[in-house]
Amino acid sequence: MNEQQTLWQFMQEQSGKLFTQTLEHIGLTFISLFIAVLIGLPLGIFIARKKQFSGTVLGIAGVLQTIPSIALLGFMIPLLGIGAKPAIVALFLYALLPIIRNTFTGITGVDASVKEAALAMGMSLKQVLFKVELPLAMPVILAGIRTATVINVGVATLASYIAAGGLGEFIFGGISLNNSNMILAGAIPAALLAILFDFLLSIVQKISFKKLKFGLYALPAIALALASFYLIPSAIGSKLTAGFTPEFMGRQDGNLGLQQKYGLKIHTIVINDAVMYNAAYEKQLDVISGYSTDGRLKAYNLMVLKDDKKIFPPYYAAPIIRQSALQKFPELEQTLNLLSGHINDSVMTDLNYRTDYLHQTPERVAKDFLVAQKLYQPSRHGKAGTVRIGSKVFGEQYILASMYSMLIEGYTNYSTATKTGLGGTKICFDALTNDQIDFYPEYTGTGLLVLLKPSAQKVQEVGLDRDKTYAYVQQQFKQQFNITWLKPIGFNNAYALMMRKQQSNDLRIKTISDLKRYLDTNN
């Protein structure tokens, strides 16, 4: 079976969800675009009339355009929470610059003699605007709207980070799950939407204003109709709302396992783990998919629900390293294994708490720990070669990468280069296999389910015992990828369902089965 057939089968299998997310994506794009046109067009006209304000207005819009999308979404969350509102505001701000600039450019580009002739014929300034300037500037204005539309289609994929839906759920879920079909299932429709809208607006742009002006009256109604697509996908009625990461949604030891083994049906929104914990703390979510050693458990007073049917396998952390790197750096294995046995679950939770909640730098947390364990040695500033360390994009991995960097530079003559924040499992593992990094910290459960993807029978056979899981991934990684698992560090950062302690006590929910019974009784 070839790759295209596999992708097609995946898209057919996920057609319902894909259709829903496409509607959400269109809705987000056109809600924000509609607001941007309502505000950007008058602003462009205003600065064309009052040119002394043009530099300030265009400068502010330009600065907003340069803010990275993820950062802009992050800035919106404290003000507007999670969901559609911060996503719409962020997309609106991105769409403003091309609309304002092109409106200003189009109107100021109209020949002055044409405007003087219109005034000489007795037209008012308002008539000159609507009968002369706007008709002549319309191709340029539509080009700005066209640019804003394409920008919004692209940036809207990031809305899934803050539980606003859209095609980004497939894309980021696929990156986390090492699933190319899932990535393409989100990326292809998003690209097609951008091409389609750009093509349709290019046709509109070529139509003469005389023919176009009647259609312009219908344009707001069309934009509103497209914007309403966001409201069409309706949620299942539920007393509680869960927030799950894109990766958790697609995993057997995640939402799929919860549905199959527990029969759990809860209203779920997809959200990035960077904002998930705070959303639970702020009571915008009732249940979240977290990590058992996350420092935010302590910071936000959350409680782990007992996995009484055991769908979550062990997630013991250990560095994984290419065989070629072990040969190139003979002292590396012994040095990395110095950390083995020094960090248990409670210690890792405390270390994470310091970065996640106290906002101490990973480097400081790492150094303090190594000093306390009498493992720290000053850097030798070695020149015997550079070891490249990778990490995923969360605090725990930054801490571990910093510890390994300090150990390598203190105990060997090697220097280090860290490539932190590499995103999900797929990005890190691809970087390792493609010789972009030499090693990174991984988890046995992720190695088993995401990278090896064994049969259900094999998962059942080895997946519930930490030693069997470690032995299996160690053997298979060496055979399949020529990658070695070094000694486990000592802590188990497993998936977990979490609730606020107060809510858990009030509802008497201590286990995932309790949650299932509560939902069955109250829905």
Side-chain angles (χ1 to χ4, degrees):
M1 187 177 291
N2 60 45
E3 183 67 21
Q4 188 172 358
Q5 288 173 318
T6 305
L7 172 62
W8 177 246
Q9 286 184 349
F10 178 83
M11 293 179 76
Q12 282 185 311
E13 180 185 305
Q14 298 288 330
S15 59
K17 184 178 178 181
L18 189 58
F19 178 71
T20 298
Q21 290 185 359
T22 302
L23 291 182
E24 289 175 344
H25 205 93
I26 294 171
L28 284 171
T29 298
F30 280 93
I31 291 171
S32 52
L33 184 68
F34 182 72
I35 299 170
V37 170
L38 285 181
I39 294 175
L41 196 62
L43 264 178
I45 293 169
F46 171 75
I47 61 175
R49 288 281 184 267
K50 307 284 186 180
K51 291 187 176 64
Q52 65 268 32
F53 295 107
S54 63
T56 302
V57 172
L58 289 172
I60 292 171
V63 168
L64 292 172
Q65 188 85 10
T66 62
I67 299 174
S69 331
I70 294 290
L72 190 57
L73 288 168
F75 292 148
M76 295 292 110
I77 291 169
L79 301 173
L80 301 171
I82 61 172
K85 286 189 287 186
I88 289 167
V89 171
L91 290 170
F92 149 71
L93 293 175
Y94 269 104
L96 268 181
L97 179 62
I99 294 173
I100 296 172
R101 184 175 56 200
N102 281 43
T103 302
F104 172 76
T105 302
I107 291 175
T108 54
V110 174
D111 195 316
S113 61
V114 175
K115 290 186 279 186
E116 288 171 7
L119 290 169
M121 291 172 61
M123 286 187 180
S124 65
L125 289 175
K126 183 178 178 181
Q127 287 175 317
V128 171
L129 175 66
F130 285 99
K131 293 182 179 296
V132 178
E133 291 175 313
L134 283 179
L136 292 174
M138 193 53 63
V140 179
I141 294 171
L142 285 172
I145 295 173
R146 182 178 166 188
T147 301
T149 304
V150 173
I151 289 172
N152 274 17
V153 170
V155 177
T157 57
L158 298 173
S160 64
Y161 267 113
I162 54 170
L167 291 163
E169 288 185 18
F170 270 117
I171 296 170
F172 297 115
I175 291 171
S176 298
L177 291 165
N178 192 27
N179 188 328
S180 299
N181 286 336
M182 190 179 287
I183 297 171
L184 292 172
I188 290 172
L192 290 176
L193 285 178
I195 292 168
L196 175 64
F197 293 140
D198 184 59
F199 173 71
L200 293 175
L201 286 169
S202 71
I203 293 174
V204 173
Q205 192 179 346
K206 294 173 184 175
I207 300 174
S208 69
F209 185 78
K210 189 173 182 180
K211 294 178 181 178
L212 184 62
K213 64 180 178 179
F214 297 107
L216 288 176
Y217 295 117
L219 208 56
I222 294 169
L224 279 174
L226 290 169
S228 70
F229 282 6
Y230 190 80
L231 305 175
I232 292 172
S234 57
I236 301 168
S238 176
K239 292 287 184 181
L240 301 177
T241 297
F244 295 159
T245 64
E247 181 172 3
F248 189 83
M249 287 294 293
R251 291 177 69 135
Q252 284 299 326
D253 62 330
N255 190 48
L256 298 179
L258 290 173
Q259 292 174 348
Q260 292 167 8
K261 204 158 187 177
Y262 285 96
L264 189 70
K265 294 181 180 178
I266 183 170
H267 172 224
T268 303
I269 58 177
V270 179
I271 186 169
N272 182 258
D273 57 5
V275 297
M276 179 175 62
Y277 290 87
N278 190 57
Y281 178 72
E282 296 290 345
K283 300 182 179 180
Q284 297 176 30
L285 295 171
D286 302 296
V287 180
I288 62 171
S289 60
Y291 307 97
S292 59
T293 60
D294 200 295
R296 289 165 290 190
L297 269 167
K298 177 180 175 181
Y300 296 142
N301 202 27
L302 302 175
M303 190 188 88
V304 172
L305 301 183
K306 184 180 177 183
D307 175 24
D308 48 311
K309 293 189 179 180
K310 302 199 181 300
I311 67 163
F312 301 131
Y315 276 78
Y316 281 86
I320 63 173
I321 183 167
R322 284 180 297 101
Q323 280 291 114
S324 58
L326 288 176
Q327 294 165 3
K328 183 178 179 181
F329 305 107
E331 299 174 64
L332 192 55
E333 181 173 359
Q334 182 180 355
T335 305
L336 297 181
N337 282 337
L338 287 171
L339 203 58
S340 177
H342 282 276
I343 305 178
N344 59 25
D345 293 5
S346 60
V347 170
M348 196 69 244
T349 301
D350 286 338
L351 295 175
N352 284 330
Y353 174 76
R354 290 177 61 182
T355 55
D356 293 335
Y357 190 69
L358 300 182
H359 303 302
Q360 296 177 3
T361 65
E363 292 79 11
R364 175 185 167 183
V365 173
K367 183 176 180 180
D368 288 350
F369 174 80
L370 293 178
V371 169
Q373 295 292 312
K374 298 181 179 178
L375 289 173
Y376 180 78
Q377 291 189 16
S379 173
R380 297 181 182 181
H381 303 291
K383 297 181 180 179
T386 301
V387 180
R388 298 162 300 172
I389 308 169
S391 86
K392 299 182 187 180
V393 62
F394 54 94
E396 178 171 292
Q397 292 259 321
Y398 293 144
I399 294 170
L400 293 174
S402 295
M403 287 184 186
Y404 283 130
S405 176
M406 291 173 190
L407 288 173
I408 292 167
E409 295 195 353
Y411 284 82
T412 74
N413 288 317
Y414 310 137
S415 60
T416 62
T418 54
K419 298 186 178 182
T420 54
L422 290 176
T425 299
K426 177 176 173 56
I427 296 174
C428 261
F429 190 70
D430 285 352
L432 183 64
T433 56
N434 292 328
D435 194 19
Q436 300 301 303
I437 57 175
D438 295 307
F439 77 93
Y440 76 94
E442 189 52 276
Y443 305 90
T444 54
T446 300
L448 176 69
L449 295 169
V450 176
L451 297 171
L452 293 177
K453 300 178 182 177
S455 66
Q457 181 181 353
K458 179 58 73 173
V459 171
Q460 192 64 29
E461 179 187 330
V462 305
L464 298 180
D465 182 274
R466 69 175 190 178
D467 294 327
K468 287 182 179 178
T469 302
Y470 177 79
Y472 181 76
V473 297
Q474 186 182 45
Q475 176 195 47
Q476 292 299 314
F477 268 64
K478 189 164 284 187
Q479 288 180 3
Q480 295 186 34
F481 310 119
N482 209 23
I483 288 172
T484 297
W485 284 75
L486 300 186
K487 290 182 181 180
I489 298 167
F491 66 92
N492 176 28
N493 189 8
Y495 267 129
L497 288 194
M498 303 173 183
M499 297 181 71
R500 293 182 299 279
K501 281 186 181 178
Q502 185 63 53
Q503 185 184 32
S504 170
N505 292 333
D506 291 345
L507 300 180
R508 298 180 180 178
I509 298 174
K510 305 297 181 185
T511 68
I512 300 177
S513 290
D514 290 342
L515 175 62
K516 167 72 164 58
R517 282 192 290 273
Y518 176 84
L519 292 169
D520 289 345
T521 303
N522 291 278
N523 284 347

